[in-house]
Amino acid sequence: MEANDARLCLEGVTKRWPAATRPVLDGIDLELAPGTATQIYGANGAGKTTLLRVISGLVLPEQGRVRLGELDACEARGAFRRRVGVLSASSAGLYARLTVADHLRLWARLALLQRADAKSAGERALCALALEPLAKRRVDRLSMGQRQRVRLAGAFLHDPALAMLDEPANSLDDEGIALLGDEVARLRDRGGIVLWCAPSGGEQPFAFDRRLTIADGTLSPG
């Protein structure tokens, strides 16, 4: 798979939920260059998850645009989402009766990887997240930390141009956090963009290029 070179651009992104008295996202502008990692942190309910969902095209903004290279998140939703890797803060995305290897094959198909690429990408992801001994084990027989590694393997599987990680260190032990840091570094080296959301800006296993705070619907330097 080729290295990435797409820039992420948000222009005036605004999102208001029907029952809210103020926008959860209020005219957000953001530009992230290839090969960078940015942390966005803020209190629960500040809009971190909504921001990620808008960027991924799962939620449409009332105003503004989201572009990844030449792709518009609203106008080319399928092509856009195939260039994005997403890790949600919930445990969604795993099927109890599927094995770890089954999940990687499923995610490879969703990313439209060719068979040879899918095989090599799955093998690399298993190795990178230390999941090889668990490849044939069903997800419902894994610990919470092991499940988080499986979900991370899916987010990085197809070498996305943009990896959006919502509280990715949840449930990980020291080894898991180190492996996550290695995956972030590898994607940055290939020109990918990493957007890491967390409830606080505490110490992380690597240095971010930027740290931003989200509050009152806007972003500011962290």
Side-chain angles (χ1 to χ4, degrees):
M1 287 177 280
E2 297 180 357
N4 300 298
D5 60 1
R7 185 176 295 266
L8 177 67
C9 296
L10 279 64
E11 302 168 0
V13 170
T14 298
K15 179 64 184 178
R16 181 192 298 272
W17 297 117
T21 58
R22 61 190 307 169
V24 63
L25 305 177
D26 192 4
I28 286 182
D29 296 314
L30 180 64
E31 186 170 326
L32 301 179
T36 60
T38 299
Q39 184 188 49
I40 295 178
Y41 63 93
N44 292 335
K48 301 184 298 295
T49 298
T50 299
L51 178 63
L52 295 189
R53 289 173 64 82
V54 168
I55 293 173
S56 68
L58 293 173
V59 171
L60 299 179
E62 271 80 28
Q63 299 176 7
R65 297 183 65 194
V66 177
R67 291 180 293 112
L68 183 61
E70 299 301 317
L71 295 175
D72 186 287
C74 296
E75 296 174 2
R77 297 177 77 178
F80 188 100
R81 289 177 67 180
R82 284 192 292 274
R83 298 207 68 194
V84 175
V86 179
L87 177 85
S88 65
S90 71
S91 59
L94 296 180
Y95 299 90
R97 296 189 178 184
L98 292 185
T99 67
V100 173
D102 289 336
H103 278 90
L104 295 180
R105 284 191 288 267
L106 172 62
W107 291 326
R109 287 199 297 271
L110 293 175
L112 300 184
L113 295 184
Q114 297 297 318
R115 181 172 297 182
D117 287 339
K119 185 176 185 296
S120 61
E123 291 172 349
R124 192 210 65 80
L126 288 173
C127 179
L129 275 302
L131 291 168
E132 291 170 304
L134 305 174
K136 296 182 179 180
R137 187 176 299 182
R138 282 174 31 166
V139 162
D140 58 0
R141 297 172 183 170
L142 300 180
S143 70
M144 294 302 294
Q146 290 167 339
R147 294 182 193 188
Q148 186 75 341
R149 291 194 196 192
V150 176
R151 297 172 68 242
L152 285 166
F156 289 104
L157 176 70
H158 56 300
D159 277 341
L162 169 64
M164 297 193 297
L165 312 175
D166 200 354
E167 302 186 29
N170 277 359
S171 302
L172 293 181
D173 57 15
D174 289 344
E175 180 191 30
I177 290 173
L179 294 172
L180 168 59
D182 290 343
E183 281 295 88
V184 169
R186 188 189 69 87
L187 192 66
R188 289 166 76 184
D189 289 344
R190 293 179 59 80
I193 299 167
V194 176
L195 192 54
W196 173 308
C197 287
S200 70
E203 291 300 317
Q204 303 297 347
F206 55 88
F208 291 97
D209 298 288
R210 296 173 69 182
R211 284 190 172 189
L212 303 171
T213 303
I214 186 167
D216 297 324
T218 63
L219 291 174
S220 59

